[in-house]
Amino acid sequence: MPTTFQPEIPEKKEYPVLPEDMYQAQISSIEDDERPKYRNPDEKEQVMKFVFTVMEGEFLGVNILCSATPSLFKGSEGLSPSKLYQILSAVNKKPLDDEDLAGINTEDVNALIGQNVRVVVKHYQNSKGETRHKIDSFLPVK
């Protein structure tokens, strides 16, 4: 039987580019995902996809996405801490030490949902030359 579906052109989704600033946000969701490794795109790495929802101001309700590897790297000379470490430290309102990190498990990460942090948003240029925003760092709420 022939089709009865009328082809349609989907609307292009527009996502607002947030101005560079600090935003009060809540962790809305965390999902497991995979992505190509940075220096070896043929290999995949596991990531946690965080969704942060802006909680105040002109951009109330806007979601900001951020991927984090499941690494609790504290950072060292010349190397930044992992995003997951930064998020956990911001929620706990202190830098986490080795003893704190040793007890962190999946339940602790899932318990981040609903927690508030301040996110610092910066701009970057994607491979197509378009301006996008990304979370540069995480700070505790005041």
Side-chain angles (χ1 to χ4, degrees):
M1 171 178 238
T3 185
T4 59
F5 295 142
Q6 175 64 34
E8 56 186 61
I9 299 172
E11 289 184 34
K12 185 176 179 179
K13 290 186 178 183
E14 294 289 328
Y15 297 100
V17 177
L18 296 177
E20 290 188 340
D21 204 348
M22 186 180 317
Y23 298 92
Q24 177 91 13
Q26 183 176 76
I27 301 170
S28 306
S29 67
I30 306 169
E31 295 180 11
D32 294 342
D33 200 9
E34 283 186 341
R35 69 177 179 200
K37 279 191 171 181
Y38 175 63
R39 298 215 183 254
N40 190 351
D42 294 334
E43 290 184 37
K44 300 273 187 201
E45 67 180 346
Q46 294 179 327
V47 293
M48 300 172 191
K49 287 175 65 174
F50 283 80
V51 176
F52 294 85
T53 303
V54 177
M55 299 302 292
E56 62 186 14
E58 176 184 352
F59 297 98
L60 175 69
V62 172
N63 290 332
I64 309 170
L65 309 178
C66 176
S67 294
T69 59
S71 167
L72 294 172
F73 179 63
K74 293 190 312 183
S76 63
E77 192 172 319
L79 297 174
S80 300
S82 69
K83 286 184 183 176
L84 182 57
Y85 175 84
Q86 291 179 55
I87 294 166
L88 283 160
S89 293
V91 166
N92 287 287
K93 299 182 179 178
K94 66 172 190 154
L96 302 177
D97 60 25
D98 290 336
E99 188 176 320
D100 296 324
L101 296 175
I104 294 175
N105 58 33
T106 304
E107 289 80 27
D108 297 315
V109 174
N110 288 328
L112 293 171
I113 297 170
Q115 297 292 321
N116 293 330
V117 294
R118 291 180 295 154
V119 295
V120 177
V121 171
K122 299 283 184 179
H123 287 170
Y124 74 99
Q125 298 287 319
N126 68 12
S127 59
K128 296 177 184 175
E130 302 166 326
T131 299
R132 296 286 186 237
H133 64 249
K134 69 175 184 172
I135 299 175
D136 187 62
S137 57
F138 306 87
L139 300 167
V141 292
K142 289 184 177 181

